[in-house]
Each structure stands twice: as C-alpha cells, then as structure tokens.
Amino acid sequence: MSNSANISQPIYRIRVAVPVYLYDCFDYSLSQEQYQHAQVGARVAVSFGRQNLTGIIVEKIAPDAPLDSSFKLKAITELLDDQAILDEKVLSLLTWSAQYYQFPVGEVMQSALPTLLRQGKPYNLLARTWNLIDHNAEAKIKRSERQQEAYKILKLHPTGTGENLLNLSGVETVTLKALEKKGICECVLAEQDFSPMPMSMAQMPLTANPDQKKAIDTVLKARKKYQAFLLDGLTGSGKTEVYLQIMQEVLKQGKQVLVLVPEIGLTPQTISRFQSRFHCNIALLHSGLNDSKRMQAWQAAQTGKASIILGTRSAIYTPLPNLGLIVLDEEHDLSFKQQEGFRYHARDVALFRGHLEQCPVILGSATPSIECYALAKQGKMTILELNQRAGTAVMPKMHILDLKVAQKQHGISQLLIGEIRKRLEKKEQVLVFLNRRGYAPVLICESCAWQAKCPHCDANFTVHRTPYQHLHCHHCGTIHRMPDHCPQCNHQELKSIGMGTAKVEESLNELFPEHEVIRVDRDSTSRVGSWQKIYDKIQKSEPAILLGTQMLAKGHHFPYVTLVAILDIDSGLLSVDFRAIERTAQLIVQVTGRAGRGERKGDVFLQTLRPEHPLLNTLVNEDYRKFAQETMKEREMALMPPFRYAALIRCESKDQQVNTDFLQQHAQQLRQDSDNIIDIWGPIPAPMERKAGRYQAHMVLLSQDRARLHYYLRYWWQNLLHNKPSNMKLSLDIDPQELS
Ligand code: ADP
Ligand code: ZN
Ligand code: ZN
C-alpha cells in the first residue's frame, strides 16, 4: 500500500543483495546525496539483524515508487565504492545463476568477489611492488642462482615491478625478501603495474595439421557471436595448440580471453605455455593465492588490463569488460562442479555467459561428457574433432589382464612385472595407476573376520603406515591408533587386505630395488613445492616408476612414459551411481593418454577381475567415442540425465527416520502440486548412510520439462527449508553430478 505522505516527499532507497541464507534482496534507505552516488554493482555496508555485512547494490528504486508503510526501512551504513565493481553482464550472470541453482542471491554474489572486497576492504589498485636500490649488487649474490635470476629481472624494470608479476615469472617472494635483507631492493605499496612481463623464451605458433586448421577456422568464423564448440580430440592431439591459435586472433582484436582449467591442471607447465606464446598481461586466479594476490589478479581482469585470465572453477564469475572468448579445458572434469554450498557447474555457467556476452565458448576434452555429446546431438553444440596425435606420437595399445587366472606377486601380474622390467631396462619410464591412497583399504582379523570400521561412518578404516602406523577414515577424517590384537576375539594377527598406493610403493621397491619409485598422491604432494620437485624428476629422461592416483591422470605431459599399468578399476565398474561407468571410462582413457606421448610407442595394461565387462571391451576394441555413443543410448532409454533433468535433495540429521518421514511428507505435496510431471525417487538412504555420525537420506527429482521442474521446485524447496527441524541439514543440487 502506498503512503500518501510519500507522494510529495521522495524516498531514496536501494535494493541490496546481502550475504545471508535468505532468498530475497533487501531495501535500505539512504540520503539524497548518497542516492546520487550509488551505483548498481557497487558495494554497500549495511547492518542486518545484529551483523554488519557487505552487500551489492542490485537496484536503485525510483524515489517516487510506492512504499509499504508498514515496513520500517533501515538506513545503509556507508557506500563502499563510488563505481560499480560488478558490471551489468556479470550481475545478470549471477542473478541467473542464483535462480537456476536456487541459491540465495546475496550468497551467490559474494562468490564473485575476492575475499578482501567481501570483507569490505577498500577497492584500490595499490600493490606490493619491488624496487631495485643497489644497481651494482652482482658481488653480493654470487652464491645464489635464484637471487641472480631475480636481480636480473628487477634490473629490467627501473620503475619497480609488482610482486604478482614477479611471482608469475618464477621469482618467489622469499627470494625477494632475501635480496631486501642484503639491501639490494625494497618493497613499497604502489599503483599496480599492469604491463606484461618480458618473454623469456618466445614460442612461435606450430604449423597446424589439417584437423587443427579446420577447428581453428570454424571457431574464428563465429568469433563475434555466441556459439558453443566441443573440441573432441584424443589425448595429445594438440587441443592446446588449437586454443592458442584461436586466442591469438581474439587477443589481436583487443579482446580478453577467459581460460578455465581443472583444479589440478593449473601447473607451472600450463602457465608457461601461455606465457611463452603471448606478450600480454595474464591474470592467474586459483585457490592457492593469498588474499591480496587474488584481489590484484581479479582487478587486473576486472579493469580489462589483463588480456588472458587463467583460472579454476570460480573464475567464471570474474567481471571482464572485453570478453571475446571462453575456453574450458578438460570439460568432463568433476572439479568444474562445486560440490557444496552454492552448487554450480562452471561448464554450464560458461555456456550461459557466452550467450550473454555474445562470444564463442570452446569446451575441450579427450573424453567428452555424455552431456556435451547430447547437446551436440540436439544441435546446440558444434563438434570439432582432432583425430590424430600431433607430431609423430601415436596412440598406445591397450591390453586387458585377467586377474582371475594371472600368476601374481604382490597383487601385480607376473606378465606385467616382466613388461615393466623391459621398459626400465630400455631406460624408459613406467606409470602405475591406482586410485586408492594409503596402505590398504581393509584391516581384518584372520580368526574371526572382524574388520576395522570407522565408528562414525559406514566405512572401513584405511590402513596408513606413514608417518606412523594408524587407521584413517577417508570420509570423516577420524584417526585411530593401530590395534595390535583383535578387539573382538583377542587374536594377535591382524591382516591388511587389498592395496593402496603406499603398499604398491613398498612392493615396487622390493621388485625393482635399483629403480626410483616416485609416488604422486595427496599424501605425498601435500607439502608446498613437492609437486614441482616430482615434476622436475619426471621431465628428465631417466628410468623411473611413477606411481599415483588420479592426480597423475590429468593432462600432464610425460614424454618418457612408454607403459601405463592400471592396477584396479573394478570398483568403478561396480558402483551404483549411473555416471560411474562414464567416469571410469574417462579415467582409463586419460591415464592411457599419458603413455607414448614422446617418440616411442606406448602400451597400456589393465588388470581386472571382470575382463568380460562390455565397457572395457568397447574401450579396448573400439574407442571412447563408440563407448560414449553406447552409453548415451542407454541413458536415453533409461531416461536418465541428460535425457531428463534432475535435482537431488540431500537431507542429514541424527535420525534417519526423521529424515525419511520429513521427505516423504513433502514428496507427497510435490506430487500433488506438479501434475505428475516430476518423477520422484525416494526418499532412500544415501549410498553411505552414516557419515561423521549423521544419517543421510536422498530424494531425486526427475523431469523432461526443465522449466516446469524448476518452477515447481522453487516454492516447494523454500517451503521445505522453512519447515525443516532446526537440527536437520538440507541441500538442493540442481543437475547433480554425483548421487552420493
Ligand atoms: P592435448 O592438449 O590435446 O593433450 P597438446 O596440445 O598438449 O595436446 O599437444 C601434445 C603435443 O603435441 C605437444 O607437445 C604439442 O607441442 C605438440 N603439437 C601440438 N600441435 C602440433 C602441431 N601442429 N605440430 C607439431 N606438434 C604439435
Ligand atoms: Zn578376531
Ligand atoms: Zn568416518
């Protein structure tokens, strides 16, 4: 209702997205002068309840618009920015995301801001900058190569160099601090320097092969409008070269390019590949940056000063005034989906962003997701195929080893051991893949069959031997000491069953004592810099065994690996998740792709108890594309995603009965309201029913009509949140990737 007093007296109000778990935006009043300065997309400090929060202005309400007089407006605390820091397009992208994923818009907007801005810190472009003060310091640094390198770079920039640029060119902050101690340079806060670093080793574009050329030309033709492309190319077929050549043309037009890579794909190797090709400012956005570095990189992107933005998942929400191309590499990778809180999929958001910005989007993979193939089939995506390995390398040959009949030693078939030995003797490298870290997945009593289980989860403890003997639950993190006898029957012998990477490491050391075993998993690479050391070793042409989990499977280039041994993928073949088979196939092909990337041909050996599995046979005898076509047909027949749209409700509390009763009752409501266009599965106990002492239940909603599914879901879901008991946790996952 409008208040008549307000007609003569304008009321200055803005609508603010406040970071709270509520679905609305909130109106605040401000003075006329503040109103004139307020910008949509700028930050504002407000009080909310008893909290002081940083919100984003999403609307300036017309001063003469009617006001609900029953509601008392609060005044803002302060305008934080005199200009918008989120531009119109990013605001639309965020608003769309909040609606699509049904997550509170205030929270969603926060995910677009670097931490410092989220905390209300001032937006300025000051940055740590290093100046050289001693220009004749050669004698002081004779003993340190790193210091000499840093000194050389500092000398090239008489007016000072930003610390983030120095870091990007390989100069570490500790080295700069060491120079500072010797009085050679000093650190000051200065206006950020956005000039590109000089290139150390410029690399020219390679001559594209016919497949690459066709892909490049097709994308460039669509340069000024939205079109989605799937670059479907074997591992090592030169996808990156295709991105680089397309980027070159887009950069020439003065446009920005956003490149998204999986979490662990952002290696120094990837970065240097971009750096050595383009003389421009590259902003790096990933989770390993400290707050101020992240803010600087974000500002370089947001002001348009950075031409290439290389980042992981969340970089999709970076404001970019001149965006001309989005590249998303390893499109099938699960790390593009955020699995908690605001559960978005960067791939799908990237497609929508391309549409908003009217620029092409290239998704690349050697193992495209069924989703992308389905989009292509519907004509929403153009497939570009690369069918040969670039250069002289050829695809490796795959062999299946039947573990049921094989002679084994330490769980590895004798034949495979022989093959490994042959490669090592030829001074080649071998990659052994096992997607299970720790020593052994099961500890069992030989007398009464007792198994060591986590007291809080429906899961076995994993046995670890380093840094000391202990039991570790990989689901909730609980650590127990290793029992020395069976707690059930007092028997003295407890046996570790099955193998994890730590046990295989032990076995390989025993089998090949004269060769180095390099283990790569989360336990061995948790220390800063350890990954780089491992990487340096791998790049030397010396015989070695690389042993690791899926960290080794992704995108890396190991030119000396000629044999890949996959020790066990059977759990992936047996999983209940409808996507498990797809993921297993992707993993096999990606690991396989690490072999024979150099001059010599590669071989892959795959141990399994299920050699007759149709998936394995399609993969070995045909290829991934054939496998994907078959899987797509199966999904279509079963009406599973992407042939129906899904939403997953996860419910968690201390009592499973409470969970299922609650979901059951609301499911009934949804069934009635939605004219049967939604198929409701469950509620059922989650695949791991008890985790960290709490019970989990799931309910899956499926529909062929996405718009109506989302429409009915919206009211129903908010109602669900409103009615839930206070000790229950609920989450909604739109287009879930994992049903666990
Ligand atoms: P992908 O990204 O498809 O796995 P990469 O782009 O890493 O493949 O290319 C694999 C290797 O082939 C790299 O060493 C790359 O330099 C080389 N390469 C790519 N394109 C060509 C080309 N047109 N001619 C020669 N070598 C190439
Ligand atoms: Zn026992
Ligand atoms: Zn546990």
Side-chain angles (χ1 to χ4, degrees):
M1 265 217 289
S2 67
N3 183 331
S4 59
N6 293 332
I7 293 169
S8 53
Q9 204 179 3
I11 297 183
Y12 297 101
R13 282 165 289 164
I14 48 174
R15 187 151 293 165
V16 180
V18 183
V20 288
Y21 201 90
L22 289 168
Y23 281 79
D24 297 310
C25 289
F26 297 88
D27 293 356
Y28 285 86
S29 67
L30 68 184
S31 70
Q32 179 176 8
E33 202 206 330
Q34 282 175 325
Y35 184 80
Q36 275 157 2
H37 287 103
Q39 302 281 341
V40 169
R43 293 171 305 153
V44 57
V46 296
S47 65
F48 190 90
R50 258 173 286 161
Q51 292 172 283
N52 292 312
L53 298 173
T54 304
I56 299 284
I57 304 175
V58 292
E59 191 184 338
K60 287 173 82 171
I61 300 169
D64 55 358
L67 174 77
D68 182 349
S69 61
S70 63
F71 196 77
K72 180 145 173 18
L73 276 184
K74 259 197 201 173
I76 64 163
T77 312
E78 176 189 9
L79 291 176
L80 292 172
D81 302 310
D82 48 14
Q83 284 175 33
I85 59 167
L86 297 178
D87 62 56
E88 222 174 282
K89 283 186 182 143
V90 161
L91 281 176
S92 312
L93 185 71
L94 290 162
T95 311
W96 172 83
S97 300
Q99 283 184 0
Y100 184 85
Y101 293 107
Q102 310 218 5
F103 203 73
V105 65
E107 297 266 339
V108 169
M109 297 238 167
Q110 294 295 305
S111 57
L113 297 179
T115 312
L116 292 176
L117 295 180
R118 235 181 264 177
Q119 291 167 345
K121 300 271 167 35
Y123 178 103
N124 60 41
L125 297 175
L126 296 183
R128 283 166 65 87
T129 302
W130 291 88
N131 294 325
L132 199 60
I133 38 185
D134 182 348
H135 292 261
N136 297 302
E138 283 82 357
K140 293 188 198 166
I141 50 173
K142 264 198 230 138
R143 304 250 297 275
S144 161
E145 254 176 61
R146 289 186 178 199
Q147 292 181 15
Q148 286 165 15
E149 184 61 26
Y151 177 71
K152 222 165 57 194
I153 294 183
L154 286 170
K155 249 192 157 170
L156 291 172
H157 292 255
T159 56
T161 323
E163 186 169 296
N164 57 344
L165 290 182
L166 286 163
N167 291 162
L168 255 177
S169 56
V171 179
E172 290 178 35
T173 305
V174 282
T175 313
L176 293 163
K177 286 192 173 152
L179 291 177
E180 186 182 29
K181 251 196 187 152
K182 294 183 179 170
I184 298 170
C185 61
E186 61 175 3
C187 183
V188 295
L189 275 185
E191 188 86 0
Q192 232 188 108
D193 172 13
F194 290 116
S195 59
M197 290 304 292
M199 296 210 279
S200 41
M201 269 192 305
Q203 196 213 10
M204 295 301 285
L206 302 169
T207 308
N209 66 33
D211 280 352
Q212 286 175 320
K213 186 151 180 12
K214 190 166 163 219
I216 295 164
D217 291 345
T218 312
V219 178
L220 286 179
K221 253 189 235 141
R223 198 167 50 201
K224 295 200 174 92
K225 61 177 186 349
Y226 169 66
Q227 193 173 339
F229 297 95
L230 174 63
L231 186 60
D232 178 356
L234 304 172
T235 47
S237 60
K239 293 186 287 297
T240 311
E241 185 61 31
V242 171
Y243 305 145
L244 291 171
Q245 295 200 20
I246 295 168
M247 285 168 69
Q248 185 166 4
E249 293 306 310
V250 175
L251 292 168
K252 246 194 230 162
Q253 313 285 317
K255 296 269 188 177
Q256 291 175 291
V257 180
L258 173 61
V259 182
L260 299 177
V261 295
E263 211 68 68
I264 61 177
L266 202 52
T267 58
Q269 198 185 19
T270 321
I271 298 163
S272 74
R273 236 171 136 181
F274 286 89
Q275 264 182 323
S276 58
R277 190 64 75 84
F278 302 113
H279 184 61
C280 66
N281 191 308
I282 300 179
L284 210 57
L285 282 167
H286 60 89
S287 53
L289 297 172
N290 68 26
D291 290 348
S292 60
K293 297 248 161 73
R294 191 171 173 89
M295 165 122 131
Q296 283 165 34
W298 187 86
Q299 286 172 324
Q302 181 249 6
T303 51
K305 296 290 196 326
S307 306
I308 298 174
I309 296 83
L310 186 56
T312 48
R313 180 177 66 221
S314 66
I316 189 60
Y317 289 114
T318 316
L320 300 165
N322 276 316
L323 183 57
L325 172 71
I326 303 176
V327 173
L328 190 142
D329 194 27
E330 310 286 356
E331 139 316 289
H332 63 278
D333 196 278
L334 205 54
S335 76
F336 288 117
K337 172 79 196 279
Q338 177 136 314
Q339 304 280 26
E340 57 196 35
F342 169 36
R343 293 177 159 82
Y344 64 95
H345 200 311
R347 176 185 63 211
D348 299 334
V349 178
L351 293 175
F352 189 77
R353 184 162 194 180
H355 177 75
L356 268 178
E357 309 256 6
Q358 286 299 305
C359 73
V361 179
I362 313 174
L363 310 178
S365 178
T367 52
S369 59
I370 305 295
E371 270 88 353
C372 278
Y373 280 127
L375 284 175
K377 203 173 155 198
Q378 293 164 20
K380 292 181 185 161
M381 195 172 288
T382 308
I383 297 188
L384 309 165
E385 289 186 358
L386 303 182
N387 287 314
Q388 298 126 30
R389 277 203 153 174
T392 49
V394 291
M395 285 310 280
K397 177 149 179 42
M398 268 172 99
H399 317 263
I400 293 184
L401 294 175
D402 185 350
L403 268 188
K404 288 197 299 285
V405 297
Q407 295 263 11
K408 280 167 292 193
Q409 204 179 340
H410 300 289
I412 307 173
S413 103
Q414 287 289 7
L415 190 143
L416 182 51
I417 292 172
E419 293 288 336
I420 294 177
R421 182 158 287 127
K422 267 193 232 158
R423 307 307 140 115
L424 293 172
E425 277 163 6
K426 283 197 276 178
K427 307 242 174 301
E428 296 167 357
Q429 294 178 356
V430 172
L431 189 158
V432 177
F433 175 79
L434 179 67
N435 213 9
R436 196 183 300 123
R437 65 197 175 88
Y439 187 80
V442 180
L443 183 72
I444 193 166
C445 166
E446 294 214 285
S447 162
C448 75
W450 168 87
Q451 289 186 18
K453 291 208 162 84
C454 173
H456 312 295
C457 306
D458 291 327
N460 281 321
F461 268 131
T462 300
V463 181
H464 282 251
R465 291 218 168 156
T466 49
Y468 55 92
Q469 291 250 19
H470 65 281
L471 298 173
H472 184 189
C473 173
H474 287 183
H475 304 280
C476 72
T478 296
I479 290 178
H480 266 207
R481 58 179 259 297
M482 187 84 171
D484 49 15
H485 62 270
C486 173
Q488 195 164 280
C489 75
N490 265 327
H491 187 69
Q492 299 292 314
E493 298 285 313
L494 293 175
K495 196 174 176 200
S496 306
I497 305 225
M499 50 188 184
T501 44
K503 188 175 197 171
V504 175
E505 181 180 24
E506 203 178 88
S507 311
L508 289 171
N509 275 324
E510 217 170 282
L511 288 165
F512 307 102
E514 67 283 20
H515 290 289
E516 188 173 11
V517 177
I518 307 167
R519 195 179 102 210
V520 183
D521 58 26
R522 222 183 322 150
D523 300 320
S524 72
T525 56
S526 54
R527 287 214 335 275
V528 180
S530 48
W531 177 243
Q532 184 57 43
K533 275 193 207 121
I534 291 170
Y535 216 85
D536 290 346
K537 277 194 207 163
I538 295 173
Q539 297 300 322
K540 283 194 202 134
S541 81
E542 280 163 23
I545 302 175
L546 323 177
L547 161 68
T549 55
Q550 55 179 333
M551 286 187 87
L552 265 187
K554 309 268 175 89
H556 306 292
H557 189 55
F558 303 141
Y560 306 108
V561 168
T562 53
L563 184 145
V564 167
I566 301 175
L567 295 189
D568 176 18
I569 42 101
D570 289 358
S571 59
L573 300 175
L574 297 169
S575 167
V576 292
D577 194 319
F578 75 92
R579 277 201 184 83
I581 293 286
E582 178 188 348
R583 301 230 178 279
T584 305
Q586 288 166 341
L587 201 52
I588 292 174
V589 175
Q590 294 287 344
V591 183
T592 296
R594 301 311 119 212
R597 288 171 72 96
E599 310 271 293
R600 298 187 202 176
K601 193 170 167 307
D603 283 285
V604 178
F605 289 85
L606 203 154
Q607 298 196 142
T608 178
L609 288 168
R610 315 196 60 203
E612 72 294 338
H613 197 288
L615 147 73
L616 285 183
N617 288 288
T618 310
L619 270 185
V620 173
N621 303 327
E622 316 247 4
D623 61 3
Y624 179 82
R625 283 186 198 141
K626 177 84 181 158
F627 158 79
Q629 293 309 319
E630 285 178 9
T631 307
M632 186 153 80
K633 259 187 234 146
E634 279 175 21
R635 293 256 189 99
E636 190 162 14
M637 276 184 341
L639 285 174
M640 289 304 282
F643 299 96
R644 275 199 294 182
Y645 300 98
L648 170 64
I649 316 281
R650 292 187 180 86
C651 177
E652 178 197 309
S653 79
K654 288 212 156 125
D655 187 339
Q656 188 68 304
Q657 194 63 43
V658 172
N659 292 342
T660 40
D661 287 351
F662 178 79
L663 290 176
Q664 194 76 56
Q665 175 197 344
H666 285 82
Q668 197 52 36
Q669 188 66 42
L670 184 62
R671 248 185 222 109
Q672 277 168 20
D673 292 350
S674 63
D675 312 326
N676 290 323
I677 63 132
I678 302 177
D679 194 2
I680 303 178
W681 291 6
I684 46 161
M688 186 178 296
E689 185 172 4
R690 198 171 50 111
K691 196 165 160 184
R694 291 170 67 88
Y695 289 87
Q696 330 269 330
H698 284 175
M699 198 157 84
V700 182
L701 314 179
L702 288 160
S703 178
Q704 260 162 324
D705 186 337
R706 170 146 72 186
R708 282 168 79 196
L709 170 68
H710 285 205
Y711 171 80
Y712 287 120
L713 198 51
R714 172 152 302 129
Y715 297 99
W716 178 80
W717 167 243
Q718 292 186 24
N719 189 36
L720 207 69
L721 282 179
H722 193 73
N723 290 329
K724 75 172 183 65
S726 63
N727 55 4
M728 178 183 281
K729 259 170 75 183
L730 280 176
S731 70
L732 171 61
D733 193 349
I734 301 282
D735 306 332
Q737 287 292 311
E738 284 181 311
L739 296 185
S740 56

